[in-house]
């Protein structure tokens, strides 16, 4: 038999074995869980009125796109919940005329993670990210773009801490 055909047959026979292992691994994520609950985040830190809802929905979407986990409303083997606890701007980089050349927008999110399969992986942690913008621009002019940039970083950090085992 031709070696290419033999290799192809071996590969095809291995597919059920690989799919039946029970451990999911996609985009660096490794977990034996099959479901996750992402509770609605709260917002006690300020910012736009839809900030907590945006974080919650974007986090769910990130898990759906990067794992095989099913999102369930309650009773997931993994549980992510939390609260936006900080939203502030800070002037940076003073210039010669004692003005700030840039402003930093910082968002802090407290996250509680529960792993019902492996309780030793549970954690409470605050994730903080920021984005800088030119002082000549107002927060209103850049807020939408900078908030999205910061949330993408925070979501990535939460994902890495919860299912990527780093």
């Amino acid at each position: 038999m031709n070696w290419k055909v033999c290799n192809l047959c071996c590969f095809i026979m291995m597919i059920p074995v690989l799919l039946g292992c029970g451990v999911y691994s996609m985009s660096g994520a490794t977990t034996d869980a099959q479901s996750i609950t992402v509770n609605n985040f709260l917002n006690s830190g300020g910012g736009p009125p839809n900030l907590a809802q945006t974080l919650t929905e974007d986090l769910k979407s990130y898990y759906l796109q990067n794992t095989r986990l099913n999102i369930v409303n309650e009773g997931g083997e993994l549980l992510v919940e939390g609260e936006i606890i900080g939203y502030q701007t800070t002037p940076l980089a003073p210039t010669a005329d004692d003005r700030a050349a840039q402003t930093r927008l910082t968002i802090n999110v407290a996250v509680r993670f529960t792993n019902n399969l492996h309780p030793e992986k549970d954690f409470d942690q605050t994730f903080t990210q920021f984005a800088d913008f030119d002082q000549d621009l107002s927060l209103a002019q850049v807020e939408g773009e900078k908030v999205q940039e910061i949330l993408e970083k925070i979501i990535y950090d939460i994902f890495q801490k919860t299912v990527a085992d780093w």
Side-chain angles (χ1 to χ4, degrees):
M1 189 187 289
N2 183 331
W3 67 271
K4 289 180 182 178
V5 173
C6 185
N7 283 343
L8 180 63
C9 289
C10 288
F11 176 75
I12 290 172
M13 291 186 333
M14 290 298 296
I15 290 174
V17 173
L18 294 172
L19 292 177
C21 288
V23 174
Y24 298 126
S25 180
M26 292 182 69
S27 299
T30 304
T31 181
D32 52 351
Q34 295 181 17
S35 63
I36 186 168
T37 299
V38 179
N39 283 341
N40 291 326
F41 277 71
L42 305 173
N43 186 353
S44 65
N50 64 342
L51 184 59
Q53 179 183 0
T54 300
L55 173 60
T56 302
E57 294 307 315
D58 288 357
L59 186 58
K60 287 179 183 178
S61 293
Y62 199 86
Y63 281 110
L64 283 174
Q65 292 170 5
N66 293 287
T67 69
R68 294 184 185 176
L69 292 169
N70 295 312
I71 303 288
V72 295
N73 291 331
E74 59 183 50
E77 295 164 319
L78 307 177
L79 170 65
V80 178
E81 55 191 348
E83 182 175 1
I84 297 166
I85 58 173
Y87 185 95
Q88 63 272 350
T89 58
T90 309
L92 298 176
T95 62
D97 59 355
D98 288 332
R99 290 187 20 179
Q102 288 192 312
T103 301
R104 175 168 288 172
L105 174 62
T106 304
I107 300 177
N108 305 350
V109 180
V111 174
R112 288 173 297 286
F113 175 68
T114 305
N115 185 326
N116 291 311
L117 300 175
H118 303 284
E120 68 278 4
K121 294 183 180 183
D122 293 358
F123 66 83
D124 288 315
Q125 181 175 331
T126 299
F127 295 88
T128 301
Q129 288 291 345
F130 63 87
D132 298 336
F133 59 95
D134 191 44
Q135 179 64 25
D136 294 336
L137 300 172
S138 71
L139 179 59
Q141 290 174 298
V142 298
E143 189 170 40
E145 173 190 339
K146 295 302 176 181
V147 165
Q148 190 60 42
E149 180 183 327
I150 294 167
L151 289 183
E152 287 173 8
K153 294 176 193 175
I154 289 174
I155 288 167
Y156 179 79
D157 290 347
I158 293 169
F159 179 84
Q160 290 296 311
K161 181 74 176 180
T162 55
V163 297
D165 281 339
W166 56 280

